[in-house]
Each structure stands twice: as C-alpha cells, then as structure tokens.
Amino acid sequence: MTDALLSVNDLKMHFPIRKGILRRTVGYVRAVDGVSFDVKAGETFGLVGESGCGKTTTGRSILRLIEPSGGQVFFNGKNVTKLSNVEMRKIRSEMQIVFQDPYGSLNPRYTVQQTLEEPMIIHNLYKSAAERKKRAMELLEVVGLSTSRMNRYPHEFSGGQRQRIGIARALAVNPKLIIADEPVSALDVSVQSQVLNLLDDLQKEFHLTYVFIAHDLSVVKHISNRVGVMYLGKMVELAESDSLYEKPLHPYTQALLSAVPIPNPEAKRERIILQGDLPSPANPPSGCYFHPRCQSCMDICKTTAPEWKEIEPGHFAACHLYN
Amino acid sequence: MAEVNMQEPETPTKLEVQLAYEGMKESNKFLRLLKAYPLVFVGGIMVLALVIIAVFAAKLAPFNPDTQFPNGLALDGAPLPPGPIFRMGTDDLGRDVMSRVIWGSQVSLEVGLMASLISLFIGTPLGIISGYYGKFVDTVIMRITDVFLAFPFILFVVALVAVLKPSVSNVFIAIGVLGWPLTARIVRGQVLAVKEFEYVQAAKALGAGSFRILFRIILPNIMAPVIVLTTLNIGNNMLLESVLSFLGIGVQPPTPSWGSMLAEGQAVFQYAPWLLYYPGFALLLAVLGFNLLGDGLRELFNPRRVR
C-alpha cells in the first residue's frame, strides 16, 4: 500500500534469555514475532489482544523506544529502523506516544508548564519563552484543562486530568501519528469515555492518525476504523472494525468477542471459554500458536503455521479453517 | 443547590478556587516551613553556627590555640580544669582547650565538606552512567566500586600519607576518594528505579538526547536521596577525620583538630576529663546538625510535601 502513513513490515522483537555466569543466550522471548500492518493517514488502527501478546512492545518498537530485532517500519516513506540517532530524534516530533499509566508518564518534578514546554525546547519550535507559554496554554485549552493550573505539579491532578496532560504533551510537537498505548485502561469508566471523546475530537481537529492499543474490545470498537488482533506476538486477524465485530473469522477473535459484555441482561449468547493459559512466548507451540487452546483445532494446525491471507476483501486472517 | 452538577470536573471554569498558598509571600512560606519542619531549622542553625565559628575562629578564640601558657598548668604539671581564665580548661601542654575547639572546627568542616563533595562529584556521574546504560558499562563501573569498597580504609590512608605528607588536604582527598563508591551505588540504584518510569520513555519519545534524559530528567528525580546522603556524609567524614587524627595519620600537631584533641586527651582523661568532653561534644553537635539538616532537606526537595 502506498497511501499508508505507517507501514510495519515483519516487525520482530526478540528478547534474549541469558543464563549462567557467561550470560550466554540460551533462547529468545518472541514478544513480537513478525507483525505486519499498514495504517492510512487519518485513520485509527486498533491493536487488541490479551496481556502479554506483544501489543505494547509493538507500539514501542515502532517508535524505537526499544530497538526492534528485525523487520522494517516505514513512516511517511522513510525506513524508521534504519535512521541514525540524530535523524531519529528529528522524526520523533512527527510520531508521538500516549502512555498507559498517567501516574508514571509525567515527570513529578516538572510543573504542567514545564512538561508541555519541554518538547518545544527539544525541537526548537518557538523562539521565545513567551511564545512557548502561549502555546502551552493553548494546548491545555485544547485538551480541556484550565490554564490557571499551569504551575501545578502532576500529583495535584486526577488520573483523567493527567492523561489529558499526557495527550497535550504529545500534541505539543504537532505530530502526524500518535501511538496510544492503552490510554484509558488505567482510568475510571466514566473518565474513559471523556478521554476517548477527546481523542476523537483531536483527531478531527488536527488530522491525526492513531495506533490505538488496548485490551478492551468495546473501547477499540468505539474508536477504530480497522482493528488488528494479536496473539502471542503474531497478528491473527485484521479487518475493518465493523466487519471484524460482525463476522470474526479467527477462533481467537471469536472467543475474545464472546467475552465482551452486552448491556442487556436478557440477551443470551454462547460464551466461548478459552482453555488453558497463554503459552510462553519463549517456547511457543508448534504449528499455529493458537492450536492448544483452539476449539476448531485440526491436525494440520499442530504442524504447520497458517498463512496470512486476505479471506474477504480487506479482511485478513491467519487460520487453516479458511484454506 | 437544587441541581446536582454532573459536569466533568476537568472543564475549565471561571470560578476556579484559588488555593490559599498560591498568592502567599516568600516570608509566609518560610514561616510555614519553620512551623512544619522545626528540626530542619535546628539542624540548619547548628550547621550555620559551625560555619560561623570556623570562619571567624581568629576573632572568637580567646587565645592563640598553639600557645603553651606557663600559667596554663597546675603546680604539679597537671592540666587546669575549666575556670575563669581558661573557660574550657587547658590541656597537658598548657594550651587553651576552648581556643583549640574553636580552631578545630575549621579542620572538621573543611574535611567534612570537601570529602563529601569529592565523593559526590565522582560518584554521581559514574552512578548515573552505570545505571542508565547498564550492561558492559555497568559491570565495569560496579566492579571498580567493589575494588574500592573492599580496600581497607586505614591501609589506604597510611599508604597515601606515606607517599604524600599528612595534611588536611590529603585527609579529605583520601576520605573522598574512598567514599565515592557508596554514592555511585546509591545513585545507580535510584537511576535503575527511575529510568523505568514512563516519563523517561516519554522524554525519549519526544526526542530528548541522552544528556537531557540523564541530567535534566533523571538527575532531578534522584537528587533527594543523594542530597540526604551527602549531608549525612559530611557528618560521617568529620568522624572519619577524627578517627584518622586520633590514630596519628590525619591532621598533624600542632594543628588543632577535634580528633587529634581526643587522641591527646585520652592519655590523661582520668584526671582531666574536660579534654574529651569539649571536642567530643563539638563533634557530636556538628554531626547531629548535618544529620538533621540532611533529613530536613529530603522533605524540602520533595514536591509532594504535604505541609
């Protein structure tokens, strides 16, 4: 795809397991094991999966907060994984991240003003302190916080307010892409919707592109145009949001969706309960990684990894059921 | 109110409540701190008093500390107890103890401060680099600290004094050079904890360079324990100085130092206990002052302090 703002190609993040006094590498944790997807400018790409499936690692290796061990990431046509440190630092103003934990993501020794001005100082965006202050105040207004709180420290804010400050900080450098790493999972449900709506509004206002990482399918449905489902470091299904929610193809996606609560106590439906635990990414199962927990497991699943195929237009999945 | 306000609390409103302290003057802030942390001020006053005594020793001391007064000894040659002329008594050479205690504060303060600063300026950068970069760099730096920590302190000073001349500056160099591994260790531990916070990741994502991350983001967040450690070190280093002087490898006579006064006094303390009381008490107050100040500074540097 050429119109993609972000294109992730076979991204791998293998963490070495070292043992013994010589620290020899005895194996790898395949946190992310060959993930590929494209994100078009202006869309929201949701990335879901259970804990430990590599969503966050994917997000962070796209930004090279951790160095990916393989694959390429193209942003605006540039191969991000090949950039030098200096070039990388420049391009960082175009791709930003909003973190999960609003308590840990703000420097406790910076006032809100300092937090918001720091990115401007790093990227030399404004000449004078007055301009920076003006911009910081604008940012606070954009995310719906009062500018009278500019000189407060993060601990004087609530979780939702902090997350707004985190979003304002990401916006300070006028990015094109924001990777939102579970931005609402640490928040109260009532505050979640406020932050989600804020993200939605900001996207319209500033033509942002989001990669939205979450484990909560209803949250992802609310905000995403397309959704990718990850399992044990691999992408198992990728589709338009509507098509994924209406007609999930992969048995794992089906199981996940069956766990989403329906706000109607009368509604009856079949709940697919996955057996067993998530296998260790250091020692993944043979064949299809999902086969030990799959309801529709066939013989071929135990030996051969399924191909990543476009099963319906725009709807990709990796499952032997559709071969 | 007839209607419960369901509006989200974050919406900016014109009617925001101003917290009381925002418009407060500096002087009020100071009073408020004084009330909240009286011990900091006790420590601060003690340290300040020590500094004043050390700086104005020449004016404050009633006599020359090295003069051996003919009238400073009793007829049988014993030191004089505290009296109207020699207010803290005299030592067995007939010197005025009060003058020597006052002059001794210079040595203690100089050694305490300089040794701590040496440890701080060697230990902090090495600790930060070790903790942040990890891996090979960390291993190398930490093994060097192990070597230094394993070095017998007295042996090192004896060796140093054998090579150089025993002097005040060599004493604080020795204490400082052997003290940095502790600072480096503590700094490293703090960095290891702080670097995992997402705000460090956020700074990286914003494009901050290593220097900014290390010294603008991480350093301020680890400074509180380091400052406390350094202040406490000042007190400890003063004690070490007196140990070395007591053993005769520190400050050399006739330069008055609290440690050497204790060393000289111990031979005759059974019948002249004031020779130990006054320098010992001075040392106690000085160390206590720095410890109280150190504890208080930790509170003051904490942006979350409640009071």
Side-chain angles (χ1 to χ4, degrees):
Chain A
M1 259 188 266
T2 46
D3 58 340
L5 177 68
L6 176 77
S7 174
V8 178
N9 185 13
D10 198 28
L11 187 72
K12 286 187 177 127
M13 184 68 234
H14 294 179
F15 296 103
I17 308 168
R18 296 181 199 277
K19 275 213 175 117
I21 46 167
L22 291 176
R23 318 284 300 144
R24 270 194 316 194
T25 305
V26 294
Y28 289 97
V29 173
R30 296 163 204 275
V32 178
D33 199 11
V35 165
S36 308
F37 58 88
D38 291 313
V39 183
K40 293 185 213 107
E43 80 167 342
T44 300
F45 182 82
L47 205 51
V48 294
E50 64 194 296
S51 302
C53 72
K55 316 180 291 278
T56 297
T57 312
T58 305
R60 296 203 176 179
S61 27
I62 290 172
L63 293 177
R64 281 180 63 190
L65 290 178
I66 38 183
E67 289 297 327
S69 38
Q72 295 102 35
V73 176
F74 291 93
F75 178 75
N76 240 349
K78 271 184 236 164
N79 188 345
V80 174
T81 45
K82 288 276 186 313
L83 292 180
S84 72
N85 282 344
V86 178
E87 291 171 311
M88 191 65 214
R89 242 178 272 157
K90 277 185 201 141
I91 209 173
R92 284 194 190 283
S93 69
E94 296 179 23
M95 40 209 291
Q96 274 302 311
I97 181 165
V98 173
F99 289 95
Q100 170 175 12
D101 176 13
Y103 292 85
S105 60
L106 300 174
N107 188 339
R109 270 163 210 279
Y110 276 6
T111 61
V112 174
Q113 187 179 349
Q114 286 173 306
T115 298
L116 296 181
E117 287 182 0
E118 179 164 58
M120 307 177 204
I121 294 169
I122 291 170
H123 291 285
N124 240 331
L125 292 183
Y126 299 95
K127 292 276 172 326
S128 69
E131 278 177 87
R132 284 198 295 267
K133 187 172 181 190
K134 191 166 156 267
R135 171 79 174 133
M137 290 170 87
E138 275 171 26
L139 286 166
L140 274 187
E141 272 164 21
V142 160
V143 298
L145 285 174
S146 158
T147 51
S148 67
R149 302 183 188 187
M150 288 271 277
N151 294 318
R152 302 279 183 80
Y153 287 93
H155 70 269
E156 299 176 74
F157 292 89
S158 71
Q161 290 172 321
R162 285 174 196 220
Q163 202 56 291
R164 284 165 193 263
I165 298 169
I167 293 169
R169 173 178 59 188
L171 290 174
V173 288
N174 303 312
K176 295 195 174 88
L177 172 77
I178 290 185
I179 294 187
D181 183 5
E182 308 221 19
V184 297
S185 36
L187 304 176
D188 219 281
V189 179
S190 59
V191 184
Q192 276 190 0
S193 57
Q194 292 169 13
V195 172
L196 287 175
N197 290 334
L198 172 67
L199 285 171
D200 219 23
D201 295 344
L202 294 175
Q203 181 167 42
K204 285 179 197 125
E205 205 177 331
F206 301 108
H207 310 288
L208 298 170
T209 307
Y210 290 139
V211 172
F212 194 94
I213 301 169
H215 59 251
D216 186 337
L217 285 156
S218 46
V219 165
V220 171
K221 186 181 181 182
H222 179 77
I223 198 159
S224 310
N225 304 104
R226 289 191 305 140
V227 178
V229 181
M230 283 183 73
Y231 182 78
L232 214 64
K234 281 186 187 291
M235 192 75 92
V236 295
E237 186 162 3
L238 192 161
E240 297 284 325
S241 178
D242 294 338
S243 137
L244 185 93
Y245 281 85
E246 272 158 33
K247 201 183 162 206
L249 295 178
H250 198 281
Y252 178 63
T253 317
Q254 290 165 2
L256 276 186
L257 285 175
S258 81
V260 176
I262 302 173
N264 176 6
E266 310 281 309
K268 287 256 188 299
R269 53 115 181 250
E270 201 187 334
R271 173 91 162 78
I272 306 168
I273 297 179
L274 289 180
Q275 301 297 315
D277 285 330
L278 189 69
S280 159
N283 185 19
S286 60
C288 171
Y289 283 2
F290 187 57
H291 87 256
R293 301 171 76 187
C294 185
Q295 290 201 318
S296 351
C297 178
M298 302 177 290
D299 284 343
I300 185 174
C301 301
K302 291 174 186 161
T303 53
T304 321
E307 237 178 292
W308 179 247
K309 278 172 65 175
E310 187 164 13
I311 289 155
E312 285 167 19
H315 197 145
F316 298 80
C319 184
H320 288 301
L321 285 175
Y322 304 97
N323 274 348
Chain B
M1 249 204 296
E3 200 182 293
V4 181
N5 188 4
M6 290 294 285
Q7 229 177 0
E8 55 173 298
E10 277 113 330
T11 6
T13 69
K14 292 258 149 47
L15 293 168
E16 232 180 313
V17 183
Q18 290 284 312
L19 284 186
Y21 59 78
E22 269 184 323
M24 243 183 207
K25 284 185 206 144
E26 273 307 298
S27 58
N28 287 350
K29 234 181 188 172
F30 183 80
L31 275 178
R32 210 164 45 83
L33 284 173
L34 178 62
K35 257 191 194 163
Y37 304 107
L39 282 184
V40 187
F41 288 87
V42 174
I45 287 164
M46 286 162 79
V47 169
L48 195 67
L50 179 69
V51 172
I52 289 171
I53 290 171
V55 170
F56 297 105
K59 292 234 166 67
L60 290 171
F63 304 107
N64 183 325
D66 299 335
T67 312
Q68 302 182 8
F69 292 99
N71 61 342
L73 292 171
L75 289 176
D76 58 354
L80 287 181
I85 304 169
F86 305 107
R87 267 167 286 172
M88 292 183 185
T90 58
D91 65 8
D92 51 351
L93 293 176
R95 296 176 295 194
D96 179 38
V97 172
M98 187 171 175
S99 304
R100 291 183 69 75
V101 168
I102 289 172
W103 279 96
S105 64
Q106 283 190 343
V107 171
S108 289
L109 198 65
E110 188 181 348
V111 172
L113 268 178
M114 293 306 291
S116 300
L117 288 180
I118 290 173
S119 302
L120 182 73
F121 283 111
I122 303 177
T124 309
L126 286 174
I128 290 184
I129 289 165
S130 184
Y132 186 71
Y133 289 104
K135 294 183 183 162
F136 183 68
V137 182
D138 185 36
T139 312
V140 170
I141 295 178
M142 282 303 111
R143 291 302 80 78
I144 295 174
T145 65
D146 285 344
V147 170
F148 271 87
L149 288 172
F151 227 95
F153 176 72
I154 303 292
L155 193 69
F156 181 84
V157 182
V158 169
L160 193 82
V161 166
V163 177
L164 310 163
K165 276 198 314 214
S167 72
V168 177
S169 52
N170 289 340
V171 168
F172 68 64
I173 288 170
I175 297 176
V177 164
L178 279 186
W180 74 264
L182 191 67
T183 312
R185 275 284 165 96
I186 288 181
V187 168
R188 172 180 173 268
Q190 290 293 319
V191 172
L192 286 181
V194 165
K195 80 169 180 182
E196 294 304 321
F197 278 107
E198 281 180 336
Y199 59 80
V200 178
Q201 296 287 310
K204 204 178 162 193
L206 286 167
S210 298
F211 188 82
R212 174 175 281 270
I213 293 178
L214 285 177
F215 293 100
R216 297 294 305 277
I217 314 277
I218 292 182
L219 187 65
N221 278 295
I222 61 164
M223 268 333 270
V226 175
I227 285 169
V228 176
L229 177 77
T230 302
T231 333
L232 296 178
N233 264 347
I234 295 177
N236 269 334
N237 291 340
M238 290 169 123
L239 285 177
L240 280 177
E241 179 276 320
S242 59
V243 168
L244 293 180
S245 301
F246 186 86
L247 292 174
I249 48 178
V251 179
Q252 295 301 300
T255 312
S257 108
W258 295 340
S260 56
M261 289 174 74
L262 290 172
E264 289 158 14
Q266 56 129 3
V268 291
F269 86 97
Q270 269 140 332
Y271 54 93
W274 57 90
L275 289 183
L276 299 192
Y277 290 162
Y278 294 110
F281 196 59
L283 194 59
L284 174 84
L285 285 182
V287 175
L288 183 68
F290 276 106
N291 286 4
L292 288 177
L293 187 66
D295 283 346
L297 285 177
R298 176 174 41 204
E299 288 303 314
L300 290 184
F301 280 101
N302 183 357
R304 292 184 192 218
R305 64 166 190 266
V306 277
R307 289 173 289 178

